[in-house]
Amino acid sequence: MASPGNREHGAGRVHRVAAPLKHHRAGRGRERLAGDRDPMAAMERGLLRALPGEIQEQSVDEGTLQFIYRCAMHTRLDVWLQCEALSLLESLSAASLIKVLTRRLQNPAADDDLFVRRRAVTLLGDNLSRLPVLAPLLATVAKDPSAFVRQGFAAVLEKLPRDLASIWFFYLATKDPVPQVRAAALLAGLNLLERPELTADVLSVL
């Protein structure tokens, strides 16, 4: 069990990262996502993820966790804030992350929602090994209406287990209707070549 000191230390980190969710200027989402991200927030998320999982999930109280969960689900918040909430859930609650990724990827919205889905795809790739229940969402992502999101799928192929990486590399590289997505998959194939168990599959397409 986490010691009070560890819990307090983790809670302080989450508070510093979560604070912008409660105090923000409307309309800043796209600009923040385009490159004006808070480097301190990113560093704090990294430090939080370095803690043991038990400590991470005990770092905030239930009220704060529910607030972050609602932000991750709230399609009318600034895009950057939705993405930050998603990233926090990765460390704070696996169950909440599964629910939010499923909801956001299965219910694509218009306009800037594609940026949130792209972040969701990145988190899907990062967490599939520890949360295999997420695997069915790969088929959903492969049919996402945004080529930008599907390019994000290509970018996480190298993180997938062997069978899934092979199946979806072949699909994206040969079946996707958009040339840019097929090109992104072929580029990802160069990284897949570094995995001996995938070499033959990749070379059959390249």
Side-chain angles (χ1 to χ4, degrees):
M1 180 176 295
S3 68
N6 282 335
R7 291 190 62 180
E8 181 180 0
H9 191 45
R13 289 172 174 171
V14 173
H15 174 75
R16 287 192 294 275
V17 178
L21 297 175
K22 297 182 179 181
H23 307 287
H24 71 278
R25 289 182 290 163
R28 287 282 290 162
R30 182 176 296 181
E31 289 80 358
R32 293 295 294 273
L33 201 64
D36 186 24
R37 296 175 184 169
D38 181 357
M40 182 60 71
M43 183 178 71
E44 294 291 352
R45 284 197 309 273
L47 291 171
L48 177 64
R49 284 194 291 267
L51 294 172
E54 180 184 1
I55 296 177
Q56 292 180 30
E57 297 204 4
Q58 294 177 352
S59 292
V60 295
D61 57 52
E62 185 64 23
T64 300
L65 178 60
Q66 286 300 314
F67 174 76
I68 295 170
Y69 174 84
R70 289 194 299 271
C71 288
M73 286 288 203
H74 198 324
T75 59
R76 294 185 180 180
L77 276 182
D78 282 354
V79 172
W80 180 81
L81 297 174
Q82 295 177 57
C83 291
E84 289 299 295
L86 273 172
S87 294
L88 280 171
L89 287 179
E90 178 185 21
S91 297
L92 299 177
S93 172
S96 295
L97 180 67
I98 291 169
K99 291 178 183 178
V100 173
L101 292 182
T102 301
R103 175 71 175 274
R104 298 306 300 256
L105 292 173
Q106 290 184 344
N107 297 275
D111 302 323
D112 287 350
D113 188 69
L114 64 90
F115 293 108
V116 182
R117 299 200 307 278
R118 175 78 177 241
R119 177 68 67 87
V121 170
T122 299
L123 293 172
L124 174 60
D126 288 343
N127 292 277
L128 187 60
S129 294
R130 74 180 179 104
L131 301 172
V133 69
L134 293 171
L137 286 177
L138 297 174
T140 301
V141 176
K143 299 294 185 180
D144 192 278
S146 168
F148 176 70
V149 175
R150 300 198 305 277
Q151 286 175 301
F153 187 8
V156 302
L157 286 172
E158 63 182 292
K159 300 176 181 179
L160 303 185
R162 188 265 176 200
D163 290 345
L164 292 175
S166 178
I167 290 169
W168 292 113
F169 167 71
F170 180 83
Y171 179 86
L172 292 175
T174 66
K175 304 295 185 182
D176 195 278
V178 177
Q180 290 87 344
V181 177
R182 298 197 300 272
L186 292 173
L187 183 62
L190 299 179
N191 291 327
L192 294 178
L193 285 173
E194 297 180 5
R195 295 171 57 177
E197 74 275 19
L198 287 168
T199 300
D201 294 343
V202 174
L203 290 178
S204 70
V205 174
L206 293 180

